[in-house]
Amino acid sequence: MTQDKRQKVRQVLIITLILNIIVLALKVVVGVMTGSLSLKADALHSVTDSANNVLGLVTNQLSSPIPDRDHPYGHHKFEAIGALGIAAFLGIACFEIITSALNRIFFGGNPVKISGGELWVLIIILGINIFVAFYERSVGEKIGSNILIADATHTMSDVWVTISVLLGLMAVWQSENWNLPILKSLDYLLAFPVAFLVLKSGWKVLKSNLPWLVDEMAIAPELIHQIVIEVPGVINCHNIASRGLLGRQVFIEMHLIVESENVKIAHEITEKIEAKLEEKFAPVRILIHVEPLEYESSQITYD
């Protein structure tokens, strides 16, 4: 039976939204106090974290797995759309990071001034981000929520951003003591590899959700055929198709020829098939079209 896990997803998103707002506020305050462009860019990145949580709450409310009259296949794809929205936010964050770094290179700016206390605030921020990322991913994998896993991926990109900013500002803090003025440039040079990491995170989110939205094959038809053909009474199984995501919801359809003298026996055979497929790929919804013997086909799936 399809389970509605939205309440747990909503609870996690609300907790992470509160934490992300705290992180955002701290970054803005420290960014203004130090004049660090990289930290201000990092704060912009954190804006997307909070926006992602709000987006997740909205799409989670719409993504009920329970079918209804208007959505007989459920509403799972709303969650995938939400995950793609997060990928778009990752692209925006990447653009902001690169723009900030290029502005610093070509146009310069006011010197960055930072104290040990402000560095400790950044370390606290880093700890909060790491907690949020692992918390969301842990719950997301446990209950099979794409939106939580995607948001955890985004938050991990924020972790790397904060680490790069922290390293850059530590270098700025020690540059005078070590008599190495070049260390001041780390405040923005480290932004480029971080932008790459953000872009990579966005690609991972896209890669994991696009197959669901375009109804890509969920299970190899040869595997389904192998399971079905072993059921006693099955003569032929062809035109097999599947879509969805394993572990979330899979839809399977096939054409079947069975050794049966009446509808009742044919029905019993199809129920055995459904039980075997449910055991292997649950949750799954299966549509079986029983055909007469002369319809036998060697075409397992669609070419």
Side-chain angles (χ1 to χ4, degrees):
M1 181 179 177
T2 302
Q3 295 181 339
D4 191 347
K5 302 171 183 176
R6 289 181 298 162
Q7 184 175 355
K8 183 63 177 178
V9 174
R10 189 182 305 114
Q11 176 187 336
V12 173
L13 288 173
I14 290 173
I15 291 172
T16 55
L17 174 60
I18 293 170
L19 291 175
N20 283 331
I21 290 174
I22 292 172
V23 165
L24 172 61
L26 290 174
K27 285 180 180 179
V28 169
V29 170
V30 178
V32 171
M33 292 174 64
T34 62
S36 169
L37 288 178
S38 62
L39 186 53
K40 291 177 182 177
D42 193 14
L44 285 174
H45 191 208
S46 293
V47 170
T48 67
D49 287 332
S50 300
N52 291 339
N53 293 141
V54 174
L55 175 63
L57 286 168
V58 172
T59 55
N60 177 68
Q61 185 63 31
L62 296 172
S63 63
S64 170
I66 310 301
D68 58 30
R69 181 182 181 279
D70 294 328
H71 303 88
Y73 295 99
H75 310 69
H76 289 89
K77 288 186 179 180
F78 281 110
E79 187 168 325
I81 292 171
L84 293 183
I86 288 177
F89 279 125
L90 284 170
I92 294 171
C94 184
F95 175 78
E96 292 293 343
I97 293 169
I98 293 174
T99 301
S100 296
L102 291 175
N103 283 338
R104 191 70 175 270
I105 291 172
F106 292 110
F107 303 108
N110 296 325
V112 177
K113 297 180 180 179
I114 189 162
S115 66
E118 290 161 342
L119 287 174
W120 274 110
V121 172
L122 290 179
I123 292 173
I124 293 171
I125 289 171
L126 179 61
I128 295 174
N129 280 337
I130 291 173
F131 168 77
V132 168
F134 279 92
Y135 173 56
E136 278 194 302
R137 180 169 293 279
S138 174
V139 177
E141 291 178 347
K142 183 177 180 180
I143 67 175
S145 171
N146 270 13
I147 197 73
L148 289 183
I149 294 173
D151 200 35
T153 301
H154 185 196
T155 302
M156 273 308 299
S157 73
D158 201 26
V159 167
W160 291 110
V161 172
T162 303
I163 288 174
S164 75
V165 170
L166 182 59
L167 290 174
L169 292 177
M170 287 176 67
V172 171
W173 182 45
Q174 291 295 326
S175 61
E176 298 296 336
N177 295 335
W178 295 344
N179 195 27
L180 292 171
I182 193 172
L183 290 178
K184 293 183 178 181
S185 64
L186 286 178
D187 181 44
Y188 55 92
L189 291 180
L190 284 173
F192 290 101
V194 171
F196 171 76
L197 291 171
V198 174
L199 195 61
K200 185 178 178 182
S201 296
W203 169 246
K204 287 176 66 176
V205 172
L206 281 173
K207 189 177 179 182
S208 63
N209 284 280
L210 280 177
W212 192 7
L213 289 173
V214 299
D215 289 334
E216 186 176 298
M217 175 187 67
I219 305 166
E222 293 78 12
L223 177 57
I224 297 173
H225 182 270
Q226 180 183 345
I227 294 170
V228 172
I229 209 70
E230 291 176 354
V231 175
V234 174
I235 296 175
N236 182 261
C237 178
H238 57 276
N239 288 357
I240 301 170
S242 66
R243 61 185 176 88
L245 283 180
L246 279 172
R248 283 300 311 279
Q249 180 70 63
V250 175
F251 299 90
I252 299 175
E253 60 182 61
M254 68 188 74
H255 289 210
L256 193 68
I257 297 172
V258 297
E259 188 176 353
S260 168
E261 297 178 356
N262 55 59
V263 175
K264 184 176 183 296
I265 295 175
H267 175 69
E268 290 173 354
I269 294 172
T270 60
E271 282 196 328
K272 290 177 182 178
I273 292 171
E274 289 172 357
K276 279 185 168 291
L277 293 174
E278 179 74 29
E279 181 183 357
K280 183 79 173 177
F281 305 117
V284 60
R285 284 173 58 182
I286 305 159
L287 175 64
I288 300 176
H289 179 71
V290 179
E291 297 178 330
L293 185 61
E294 58 267 23
Y295 281 46
E296 184 173 338
S297 170
S298 60
Q299 183 173 314
I300 293 178
T301 188
Y302 297 91
D303 294 327

